Amino acid sequence: LITIVTVVLAILIHSIAGYAIGRNMANSKFYKFSYLYIVSGMFVPFAILMMPVVKQTSQLGIGNRVGVFVLYVVFYMPMNLLLYSGYLKNIPMALEEAAKVDGASTWKTYWSIVFPIMKPMHATVAVLTALGTWNDVMTPLVIMSGSTGGTTLPLAQLNFQTQFGTKYILAFASYLLALLPILLFYLICQKHILNGVVNGAVK
């Protein structure tokens, strides 16, 4: 649930932000600063933010799945914004100008023309975000520790490790089962990933 919601929100929010910033960055200092400010978040490790984030989520009353959704969308925004804004350089402005001449609004142009064209980057962002979310232990551990709304798969796998030993048979069986969904997801999206990474990373 957490992985699916995070991936959907990331594609929707980060692609819109990447489009807005990527198309206006060259002509506006505000968008240029916004781009550099958001991307600089990649250099801040989670260990530094952990205690303030735990305190803030607790004060806001979102020390549960909702808080995890919000944090994942924020944490993956720098990388995804970098990829989306870079990929937009490969989409000719002539397509958007033609749509504008035909009477399409900016919003209509984005959803009808730009969003479908960015399908390879959507697949890349989806896989990278899903991998990080699916395997993450620390964020749910510190945010949902006091929540009664369930747990995540990586946290549940910690139950196989006790102070008296590790149940290796059950542990490795759970690791294999946990690997299958994300592996299938990668295999489905793999044909788009290489194209998306190369076109999105090269300036």
Side-chain angles (χ1 to χ4, degrees), residues 12-152:
L12 294 177
I13 297 175
H14 299 165
S15 63
I16 294 175
Y19 174 71
I21 294 177
R23 284 302 191 219
N24 298 285
M25 187 169 53
N27 303 319
S28 173
K29 292 183 178 180
F30 171 76
Y31 286 102
K32 180 69 173 180
F33 173 78
S34 300
Y35 173 80
L36 295 175
Y37 178 77
I38 295 174
V39 171
S40 65
M42 289 191 296
F43 303 103
V44 182
F46 178 73
I48 296 178
L49 303 174
M50 184 168 60
M51 294 308 296
V53 163
V54 171
K55 184 176 181 180
Q56 289 180 355
T57 52
S58 177
Q59 291 175 343
L60 294 174
I62 55 175
N64 46 37
R65 288 179 181 173
V66 176
V68 175
F69 294 149
V70 173
L71 292 179
Y72 279 146
V73 172
V74 173
F75 289 156
Y76 290 109
M77 188 172 191
M79 175 60 73
N80 294 343
L81 180 67
L82 178 69
L83 293 174
Y84 274 122
S85 59
Y87 190 80
L88 278 169
K89 297 181 184 298
N90 300 305
I91 301 178
M93 281 292 297
L95 294 174
E96 300 175 42
E97 293 170 354
K100 188 175 182 179
V101 170
D102 291 337
S105 62
T106 302
W107 191 252
K108 180 70 174 178
T109 300
Y110 172 75
W111 287 113
S112 300
I113 298 177
V114 179
F115 190 83
I117 293 177
M118 291 196 297
K119 184 179 179 180
M121 186 51 62
H122 295 326
T124 304
V125 167
V127 170
L128 294 177
T129 303
L131 281 173
T133 305
W134 186 266
N135 296 319
D136 186 33
V137 175
M138 189 58 65
T139 304
L141 180 63
V142 298
I143 301 299
M144 299 174 60
S145 59
S147 174
T148 58
T151 185
T152 63

